[in-house]
Amino acid sequence: MFIKKLMMVLLIASTGQTAEKLKIGLVLDKGGKEDKSFNSAAYQGASLAEKELGIELKYVEATDVNSIENLHRQFAKKKFDLVIGIGFAQQDAVKKVAAQNPDTKFVIVDGEVTAPNVRSLMFEEHQGSFLVGYLAAMKSKTKKVGYIGGMDIPLIRRFAVGYEAGVKHFDKSFTVLENYIGITADSWNNPAKAKELALNQFQQGADIIFVAAGASNSGVFDAAEEKKKLAIGVDSNQNWMKPGFILTSMLKRVDQGVFATIKDLKDSKFTPGIVRYGLKDKGIDYAMDKHNEKLVSADDVKKLEKIKAEIIEGKIKVPDFYLMKKK
Amino acid sequence: MEINSHPEIEFSNVGKRFGSVWANRDISFSINRNTIHAIIGENGAGKSTIMKILFGIYSADAGTIKVNTKEVRFSSPIDAMKYKIGMVHQHFMLSPAHTALENVLLVDPKQSPFEPYFKNDKIEKIKATAQLYKFDIPWDTPVKDLGVGTQQKIEILKLLCLDNQILIFDEPTAVLTPHEIDELLTQLHELKNQGKTVILITHKLKEVKRIADTITIFRKGQLVGTYPASELDEKEMASKMVGKPISFEKRSFEKFKDQSVLLNLENVKFIEGSKEFLFNFKLHRGEILGIAGIEGHGQEKLIPFILNSKQFNYSGKITILDTDAQSLGPYGARELSIGVFPEDRLRLGVLPELKAFQNFILGYQRKPKWFSKGILNWTKIKTLTQSTFDKFKVEPNNINLDFNAFSGGNQQKIVVARELFHDPEIIIAAHPTRGVDIGAIELIHEQLILAQEKGKGVLLISSELDELLKLSDRVLVIRNGKIMREQLRADFSEKEIGRCMLGVVQ
Amino acid sequence: MKSFFGFLFGLFCALMIVLFAGENPLHILEILVRSSFGSKYDFGLTLFYMTSLIFTGLSVSVAFKSGLFNIGAEGQLNFSAISMVVFATTYPGITFPSSLLLILLVGILSGAIWGAIPGLLKAYRGSHEVIVTMMLNFVSAGISSYFISHQLQNPDSQNPESAVIVDAFRTNSFDFLNKLLPESPVNIFFIFAILMAITMYFFFTKSALGFEMIAVGENPSAAERASISSKKFIVLSLVLSGVLASGAGMNEVIGYSGQYKIGFSPEFGFMGIAVALMSNNHPLGIIANAFIMSVFHKGASDLDIETETITKDFSKIIQAMVLFGVGLQYYLNKYGVTISWFKKRKNLNQSGSV
């Protein structure tokens, strides 16, 4: 009896309270919100919205590829107003579930879905990678820099291609070492392997490594500290993680995109279609803060800003792996 | 001696029940200090159960036990050890990778986890104890490299180092060779001389006769009686154990007329490991050919060799039932009507965790009797198993029990029944009565004699000289992989064979 | 059935832990039931997981029966899945009935090959099957990754996945089970999985081959004496194991998605080990335990959505508790301890003192 009553009270409490609030569901990728990188950024954006916009946020982490669709369905069934899918892997699920739940709005980050109730957030990672590549080349003494990707997938190759172009733009004679942690989703969560690869690249003479590997990044930072070399973080601002050893972080402002979308919905300005974030709108950027101001001088920043402007104006064409593949 | 005025251990009306079956019922007897007290009975008679109650492995369901007039109730062996009672189990509790000395050092219950194991005074004490009881132990050899007899000594020494007064031995001679048995019996005497009380669980009457002071006999969970050893001879003991007179008569050795050869090994020579084996003998129809030898001298190698000679790189010629073994496929010999009682029943003969009726077809699973088109006819198998169980008087008479659940004697009966079921022409019986009680021994011997009378050939490998002498037409003695001597029935001499086994005579 | 009390006990413990986390156990139970039976989609997804778990559970159990520990079911199902996709994309022109037969054959053969490698190495070179199967898991992951990122990448997707294979190779056009539970991934392979479990049951209880396989597992030296070649059966059972694991690959590729997605298996191969152990390798028990595992696997994400504290990691604790309960029951059964045993013992102690 008591338990039943308790349940009823709970149910009433939970439904009553949220009658007016927007309900936002966030489906994170396997890496989880503690990856201090891609998923973290998405979660930060959403929780900022929770604080500032007064929405109700519920986030979940996928257990496997087939569970993603299930999670989107559950959110839709529970009449959430907006369901956000983080990561390319959720594209198909969003496509399918959105078609069946026209009243629910969906957002897919890093994927493209064309439907009247879906907004796709795309980021021009190659542009940012080009910039940090240019910076790495400026700072390198050995004329050799490294790149470590997480899972070997097109998105991560896109980082690599942009980065290499940035390096070569500075000086064609530079060498770029390129390694990937693995081929399974574990790659996002394997700092030990990341460290091993980083140590190996340092051994081969690289002195700066750009890493795009989710929660595995910390392994590369450790290696940089150990060998007194430099690393470049990704997605979130990771400069604080090993101050003095992280040259900069290539920012992919998923938090901004997520926050802006929730705000649009709140202000009834939600529009479907593809929204691209790039250098122009600061959706893609590089991080400067107190942790790396000693590493990157004002002079360097000036040079970078010049390159940035040239990319925005279209004077520099950054190669895009996605487009290369289609050819 | 004041202390001898009362019995050291006194059982009164002790009972133990497993489910609805009483394994022991109403057991009352006493054991005196400083004696060798034998507890005998067939397998399943309850002799081990009562000792396990005394040692605290089981707890009694009824009755009381007194140790030195004090009533005790042990709930674990640790309690029993406090009363200075120790037990040497049939399967040794030794760590094979550690040396003999380490094994003894390891058992000290007062050892604190922070103290080093190797302390000179301890080691000296152990060595002194060993000397006192005349144990000769290679201290620094890992136990796995030691013989069974030496392992047993280490096991006994462990108990002695704990200052145990009462020592229980569970079938200690089952695993030993005749020579080792001699040594053990001498040692037991030595223990008695040093003031210990020795309790010996066994069914080997000869040994009992040799060393026991007092004998307590069990049958079917109940006590038959306690007797001074001098009052009973072997025959009387056996009858009391089984509950009916036992015939110790030997088979008749009228010559079987057919002299055709069933199995012929002609100058067969092969090398395995660093050992060389050389066999040259014939097995005739209607003959029991005994193979004597100390274990590990090559007689067991004969079995896999005869069954699967192609796996060995041998010279010479082996003919089985007029077929050259070279012309057989792999496992081909098995198809030629050979029954085998394996030398190590549990390891080589059965699937211990499967049911009895499943074990009944192992090795014969593709016989057309119950096999057609890939499918086994379990109904038929069960019926046939049941009828064999009845014939061989297997106890408990339940074919659905796991093989493990049967006592050693009954396990062997099942194996024997299986191997004889298909009426093989050649029977290789390796240690057919090892770990088997008197009733079953009699039955197994009868079966072997019956086969012989029907004109089959039996190759009997045994380390029990009595058994060989009782059954064989001829005895071959094997030593170091070679046949040392052939003795015909007429000139059998136990002494000769024994010395030949030990290599004393050439 | 024997493990049913253990299951209840484990579930009870799990729910008690949930109570400590501040959730209402009844609510959790309700979510679990709703998440597996709540809608046609939910039920279908549960059965879809169950299908793969039956296949991998059987795969692991067959190896166990002959005394081998196959931790390579994951690699076997993976290799079989990628082989089928490679085959179907290489020969897209094959027409319907033969196309389906051929792709099934490819799936079975590839599973068999991936089982035969550790089998042959174990039988003739003495390599330990655990090491070999584990390494082959990585090898097959590497092979599929190579094909996906360099040969078969779906041009319409950034996902690491192959393009969808032609319908002729798939069962969806005539899949009546999927029609019953539309939208969900469950498919005709569920029925195959059940049939396979029943077949394995009869294989082990009725056939001489099954008996011989068990004999090798129980006691290889005795089997050898009984003219049963343990080498032959080591190879045979691992081949069979691989073939059974390939069923999980077919469930995904032929039955459901028609493509190879990297990460399509949430380690079905390893979950299969738990299923086999929970069932004590009994093929019919595997059906029941595969169902329990899939309910919890499916429920994990729903619990994450519906509660505050039960995250997907917390669900693992609940799963582990249930596993533990079933394992405990098995242990007690093995040593003849049942509830009635406790009762009898009590009675005995009372009567014994008289």
Side-chain angles (χ1 to χ4, degrees), chain B residues 219-333:
Chain B
R219 185 171 67 232
K220 291 187 176 158
Q222 277 166 327
L223 189 77
V224 178
T226 300
Y227 310 91
S230 52
E231 277 179 18
L232 296 178
D233 66 17
E234 272 178 59
K235 228 175 190 168
E236 284 165 325
M237 282 189 240
S239 321
K240 283 191 194 303
M241 272 167 70
V242 184
K244 59 169 193 198
I246 288 279
S247 70
F248 268 69
E249 266 146 55
K250 292 181 176 162
R251 55 170 279 223
S252 71
F253 287 94
E254 282 167 40
K255 265 252 172 337
F256 188 83
K257 282 168 202 128
D258 191 349
Q259 271 291 312
S260 59
V261 175
L262 289 171
L263 175 69
N264 191 357
L265 279 76
E266 289 169 78
N267 291 316
V268 165
K269 200 173 180 179
F270 60 94
I271 291 171
E272 199 175 88
S274 56
K275 269 192 175 169
E276 192 185 70
F277 299 92
L278 176 64
F279 297 119
N280 193 11
F281 66 86
K282 290 188 177 74
L283 175 68
H284 303 94
R285 274 196 183 283
E287 176 183 54
I288 298 181
L289 174 60
I291 309 265
I294 295 173
E295 241 173 278
H297 275 257
Q299 60 273 50
E300 281 96 352
K301 265 281 164 298
L302 263 176
I303 306 169
F305 179 73
I306 293 171
L307 291 180
N308 208 349
S309 49
K310 273 196 167 167
Q311 271 184 7
F312 296 82
N313 189 5
Y314 70 95
S315 66
K317 191 178 176 195
I318 167 167
T319 316
I320 307 168
L321 295 165
D322 299 326
T323 316
D324 188 339
Q326 277 297 340
S327 64
L328 295 169
Y331 307 107

Side-chain angles (χ1 to χ4, degrees), chain B residues 344-360 362 399-407 411 414-415 418, chain C residues 211 214-223 334:
Chain B
D344 186 338
R345 182 167 61 231
L346 284 175
R347 195 172 70 81
L348 296 171
V350 294
L351 310 172
E353 291 190 18
L354 296 194
K355 310 228 175 288
F357 69 86
Q358 291 175 307
N359 272 288
F360 189 69
L362 181 66
I399 59 164
N400 290 309
L401 287 179
D402 285 356
F403 189 83
N404 259 342
F406 292 90
S407 66
Q411 289 182 344
I414 299 173
V415 171
R418 173 183 78 199
Chain C
F211 176 78
I214 294 173
V216 170
E218 270 292 313
N219 189 346
S221 358
K334 192 175 169 189

Side-chain angles (χ1 to χ4, degrees), chain B residues 17 61-62 303-304 307 331 334 343 346-348 350-351 353 358 361-363 365-366 371 374-376 378, chain C residues 205-209 211-212 214-215 218-219 221-222 224-230 345 348-349 351-353:
Chain B
R17 197 158 75 167
D61 293 321
I303 306 169
L307 291 180
Y331 307 107
R334 225 26 235 242
E343 58 274 36
L346 284 175
R347 195 172 70 81
L348 296 171
V350 294
L351 310 172
E353 291 190 18
Q358 291 175 307
I361 59 163
L362 181 66
Q365 64 276 9
R366 286 173 187 257
F371 171 84
I375 301 297
L376 292 166
W378 285 111
Chain C
T205 52
K206 298 284 175 203
S207 79
L209 209 59
F211 176 78
E212 287 164 346
I214 294 173
E218 270 292 313
N219 189 346
S221 358
E224 195 74 33
R225 269 292 168 85
S227 314
I228 303 166
S229 160
S230 48
R345 203 175 154 74
L348 265 180
N349 285 344
S351 65
S353 54

Side-chain angles (χ1 to χ4, degrees), chain C residues 31-62:
Chain C
I31 295 171
L32 278 176
V33 171
R34 189 148 37 86
S35 109
S36 347
F37 306 99
S39 70
K40 284 183 174 178
Y41 171 82
D42 290 320
F43 190 49
L45 182 56
T46 310
L47 293 188
F48 175 74
Y49 285 140
M50 183 177 163
T51 308
S52 291
L53 287 178
I54 292 177
F55 278 123
T56 54
L58 286 173
S59 161
V60 175
S61 79
V62 165

Side-chain angles (χ1 to χ4, degrees), chain C residues 134-294:
Chain C
M134 189 160 51
M135 297 320 286
L136 283 178
N137 285 349
F138 293 113
V139 174
S140 85
I143 291 176
S144 32
S145 172
Y146 166 76
F147 276 109
I148 294 309
S149 44
H150 299 283
Q151 307 287 334
L152 308 170
Q153 170 67 40
N154 186 355
D156 302 326
S157 168
Q158 301 305 338
N159 290 351
E161 63 182 35
S162 74
V164 176
I165 58 177
V166 185
D167 267 353
F169 292 104
R170 302 171 63 188
T171 55
N172 50 358
S173 54
F174 58 89
D175 197 327
F176 56 91
L177 188 63
N178 189 262
K179 299 242 158 48
L180 287 177
L181 300 167
E183 292 299 320
S184 78
V186 71
N187 57 72
I188 201 161
F189 278 92
F190 174 71
I191 294 167
F192 290 152
I194 302 276
L195 286 178
M196 210 55 201
I198 296 172
T199 310
M200 290 321 291
Y201 174 74
F202 283 112
F203 174 72
F204 281 119
T205 52
K206 298 284 175 203
S207 79
L209 209 59
F211 176 78
E212 287 164 346
M213 199 176 270
I214 294 173
V216 170
E218 270 292 313
N219 189 346
S221 358
E224 195 74 33
R225 269 292 168 85
S227 314
I228 303 166
S229 160
S230 48
K231 285 188 172 138
K232 186 175 120 192
F233 276 92
I234 284 169
V235 179
L236 190 67
S237 85
L238 280 172
V239 165
L240 189 55
S241 190
V243 170
L244 286 165
S246 73
M250 297 177 191
N251 181 36
E252 170 80 22
V253 174
I254 309 181
Y256 168 51
S257 69
Q259 56 185 168
Y260 183 96
K261 295 182 203 159
I262 284 185
F264 77 87
S265 156
E267 306 205 314
F268 284 128
F270 293 98
M271 290 160 80
I273 297 173
V275 170
L277 287 175
M278 278 163 83
S279 326
N280 192 20
N281 302 323
H282 193 293
L284 302 183
I286 283 172
I287 299 181
N289 286 306
F291 179 69
I292 293 174
M293 282 293 277
S294 49

